[in-house]
Amino acid sequence: MEAKKILLAEDDPKDVELTLAALAEYNLANEVVVARDGAEVLDYLYRRAQFADRPAGHPVVVLLDLKMPKVDGLEVLRQVKSDPALKTIPIVVLTSSRQDQDIVESYDLGVNGYVVKPVAFDRFVEVVKRIGLFWVLTNEVPPGTIGC
Amino acid sequence: MDLLVGTKSCEFVHISPGEIHEDGLGTIIKDKSGDIIGYQSSVLDISDQKQAEEELRAYRDHLEKLVAARTAELDRRVAEVEQLNQGLTNLLDDLQAANRNLEETTGKLEAVNEELEAFAYSVSHDLRAPLRHIDSFAQLLLKRQAAQLEPTSARYLQNIAEATGKMGQLIDDLLALSRTGRVEMNLRPVAVDEIIEKAREELAPMLAGRRITWKIAPLPAVRADPGLLLVVWTNLLSNAVKYTAPQPQARIEIGATPPGDEGQVTFFIRDNGVGFDPLYAHKLFGAFQRLHREDEFEGTGIGLATVRRIIHRHGGRVWAEGESDRGATFYFTLREAEGE
């Protein structure tokens, strides 16, 4: 039985709490894995360090914050999208920044979507819900990528 | 008989009438004993020769005078040229010094601009996150405690949420204002009617349910940055729509006067809204300046400052006329597009 996982890459604990709360409103929070910085994201995707024993399979989407310590979002994007084993994983940047340079560079690196976190809570919830619903329920992934 | 001959030559000048010069040659004939026995003289009229000599002398004098005069003139001119040359050299030195100054100032301005970019980035990113947290947790608390909260407490939480919303809007407006000053302008012929259409589309949520009579005249094309021009019209239109809200039938009129000298077109947008007190007209375009209270009309007071900055960057002027409760008209000038 496939478990569709969402990988949430976010260093701010408040934003983690809010995103989980938003996803929970639509019953999408069950299979959310939280990575606190870019290094943890890569460890999860490569199944190493504390994630070495997790079941094989890609997340259906990675919600990627850009400003994270150790390895930042753009660097994660660069590594994942240039690795043939990982590049098919959908990645949606979820960030506070609307700076043109960040948007351009993300798309240059092959991001699948770029979303600016709304400041107003109800709009934030709406946005997270739509992202979750689309990638978890509507989108199709290559067969065999999300689990055995 | 031996003749002794002594010769003497002299000039004779007859005084009148007319000058006649004669060259005389006289010979005295003496006999052996020294007695003068005769004279022989011959006179040659050398008047012509003399006249020729005079004329030659006169010409020579004249020529010498001319040469002297010309030489003096030339000397004077040379002195002038040398003076001008010196002046030009000084001017050049001044220009080079001014140029170096300019380069230094430009360098400083670029450094300041970079600082502003970094500041704007920080504002756009770093301020938004805590703002979102304040709003979100206030709302979550409201939801969780809705049953238990008494109305005043609930209202306090609501105020927190509204204040953060206002702050978010302020940040967006400030960033837009700062961006209009920093972004590179892409000037080209722009169809103003298309821009106004786009602005009206952007304002669709605001226009929903409103009764507005629009009167938009055909508008000439201008030379402008389309993105920035859209910001101008969006701001002006949104103001017109906002401040006509109390009127049962709002009327918004947009037009342009034909290009005058120097190819400047004057655009105007006139509304029949609440207008403004002309006493405070000079404050209209200042940043954060508002002429109405927040509970009368919402707003951040940046829209017109943004409009003014954009129009000034285009080399135009912007001004307004209005009366309290008798509507307002906003004018601005832009260069007409060439070769349309």
Side-chain angles (χ1 to χ4, degrees), chain A residues 54-127:
Chain A
R54 75 165 178 90
H58 293 325
V60 289
V61 70
V62 177
L63 299 180
L64 184 65
D65 187 21
L66 287 184
K67 299 295 171 240
M68 293 185 293
K70 291 192 197 157
V71 183
D72 71 12
L74 288 174
E75 185 52 37
V76 168
L77 196 52
R78 179 175 298 117
Q79 288 197 32
V80 172
K81 287 300 180 182
S82 58
D83 186 330
L86 302 177
K87 70 179 184 183
T88 59
I89 302 175
I91 300 185
V92 173
V93 161
L94 188 59
T95 179
S96 299
S97 161
R98 188 184 265 107
Q99 291 292 100
D100 291 343
Q101 73 216 49
D102 287 333
I103 303 180
V104 168
E105 214 182 325
S106 299
Y107 274 96
D108 277 345
L109 292 170
V111 79
N112 298 80
Y114 189 103
V115 176
V116 176
K117 295 179 200 169
V119 168
F121 182 59
D122 47 357
R123 292 198 45 226
F124 174 74
V125 169
E126 178 70 17
V127 164

Side-chain angles (χ1 to χ4, degrees), chain A residues 12 15 67 99 102 118 121, chain B residues 121 125 132-133 135-136 143:
Chain A
D12 186 322
D15 274 330
K67 299 295 171 240
Q99 291 292 100
D102 287 333
F121 182 59
Chain B
Y121 184 85
H125 184 269
R132 183 176 56 257
H133 298 159
D135 184 67
S136 303
K143 273 193 206 166

Side-chain angles (χ1 to χ4, degrees), chain B residues 67-123:
Chain B
V67 168
R70 282 289 157 84
T71 307
E73 172 90 7
L74 276 174
D75 283 341
R76 200 173 48 77
R77 294 258 175 102
V78 166
E80 263 181 37
V81 167
E82 277 175 355
Q83 210 171 12
L84 275 172
N85 215 34
Q86 187 56 42
L88 275 174
T89 307
N90 291 344
L91 200 62
L92 199 66
D93 285 340
D94 285 346
L95 269 174
Q96 282 173 346
N99 224 34
R100 277 193 297 274
N101 251 2
L102 204 62
E103 279 173 8
E104 212 184 292
T105 307
T106 304
K108 284 187 190 155
L109 276 175
E110 280 172 356
V112 166
N113 229 34
E114 273 176 38
E115 277 181 38
L116 281 175
E117 293 263 0
F119 178 72
Y121 184 85
S122 172
V123 165

Side-chain angles (χ1 to χ4, degrees), chain B residues 194-244:
Chain B
E194 284 175 19
I195 299 284
I196 293 188
E197 267 322 296
K198 273 206 198 119
R200 285 173 69 177
E201 277 168 31
E202 268 193 31
L203 295 174
M206 233 183 137
L207 297 169
R210 289 287 309 272
R211 293 166 50 103
I212 303 178
T213 308
W214 295 90
K215 186 167 164 227
I216 305 181
L219 300 165
V222 295
R223 186 167 162 73
D225 178 299
L228 291 178
L229 195 57
L230 180 60
V231 173
V232 167
W233 281 111
T234 310
N235 271 303
L236 291 174
L237 279 165
S238 117
N239 275 355
V241 170
K242 183 164 66 176
Y243 289 98
T244 54

Side-chain angles (χ1 to χ4, degrees), chain B residues 142 149-158:
Chain B
L142 203 54
L149 278 175
E150 36 145 23
T152 308
S153 303
R155 200 181 72 245
Y156 286 170
L157 281 173
Q158 191 56 36

